[in-house]
Amino acid sequence: MAAGGMKPYLEPELNIQSDDEEIRRKAREICGPDREPTTVARKLLDWVYRNVDKKPVLSIPSALEVLRTRAGDCNEHATLLTALLRAAGIPGRLCIGLVYTRDKFYYHAWTEAYLGEWISMDATLNQMPADASHVKILEGNLDKQVEIAGLIGELKVQILDQRHD
């Protein structure tokens, strides 16, 4: 993808305050001297996974607020990871979809980082790339997420085959 095409994925946006000094400082602290994008992305993912408590919250996720409270569900984990990636100079975007667990599909949010190609990163489950249980419906921030609101509770998925290697 052309460098100009990455610009939106490097810039701050609503609740992804990647230009905030607190977020930039945390990204530098986590990454240390590493500059290799895949190594940096992995370090950021690991930090969010280990340092943000996994618990439901009733709020609109804000990266800065998550950094301060260190708590949230998949939305908060994905929002903070996306902001940290962007602060570190790695294009990042939010993904919204479903994850299959305990014999059902559930709403889920995760991040994708551009590392020569888009790589899925799930800071809630500590996966890079995210496993095949993730079904992406859309990419984008709150403005895009509103588009799937009508699907919640209406979407039907049928598993036709299942295998384990």
Side-chain angles (χ1 to χ4, degrees), residues 59-79:
S59 69
I60 296 174
S62 157
L64 193 53
E65 189 63 24
V66 177
L67 181 60
R68 292 173 179 165
T69 64
R70 306 275 174 97
D73 56 29
C74 60
N75 290 303
E76 284 74 21
H77 283 72
T79 299

Side-chain angles (χ1 to χ4, degrees), residues 92-111:
R93 65 187 180 194
L94 293 173
C95 295
I96 305 301
L98 304 171
V99 66
Y100 188 76
T101 184
R102 297 183 305 273
D103 297 323
K104 292 185 179 174
F105 282 97
Y106 296 92
Y107 167 88
H108 196 55
W110 61 94
T111 302

Side-chain angles (χ1 to χ4, degrees), residues 84-149:
L84 289 168
L85 286 164
R86 291 179 183 184
I90 298 172
R93 65 187 180 194
L94 293 173
C95 295
I96 305 301
L98 304 171
V99 66
Y100 188 76
T101 184
R102 297 183 305 273
D103 297 323
K104 292 185 179 174
F105 282 97
Y106 296 92
Y107 167 88
H108 196 55
W110 61 94
T111 302
E112 287 182 337
Y114 193 79
L115 304 167
E117 63 181 313
W118 288 106
I119 303 294
S120 56
M121 302 174 69
D122 189 331
T124 309
L125 301 175
N126 197 26
Q127 296 178 351
M128 179 181 169
D131 68 22
S133 69
H134 294 69
V135 178
K136 181 168 66 171
I137 296 174
L138 62 85
E139 303 150 359
N141 207 335
L142 293 175
D143 57 331
K144 296 286 186 188
Q145 294 176 30
V146 171
E147 294 176 16
I148 68 163

Side-chain angles (χ1 to χ4, degrees), residues 30 75 156:
I30 295 165
N75 290 303
K156 304 279 188 239

Side-chain angles (χ1 to χ4, degrees), residues 7-63:
K7 190 174 183 214
Y9 306 109
L10 287 163
E11 294 182 339
E13 60 181 297
L14 177 68
N15 292 326
I16 300 176
Q17 305 96 328
S18 54
D19 61 342
D20 183 273
E21 187 50 38
E22 199 172 336
I23 288 178
R24 294 170 64 79
R25 185 173 38 251
K26 182 52 74 176
R28 287 190 303 269
E29 176 188 315
I30 295 165
C31 298
D34 288 318
R35 296 291 170 258
E36 196 282 315
T38 302
T39 302
V40 167
R42 171 48 84 182
K43 281 184 158 189
L44 295 171
L45 171 77
D46 287 343
W47 189 89
V48 173
Y49 174 75
R50 294 184 197 304
N51 291 280
V52 178
D53 288 335
K54 285 125 194 82
K55 64 181 184 181
V57 295
L58 296 172
S59 69
I60 296 174
S62 157

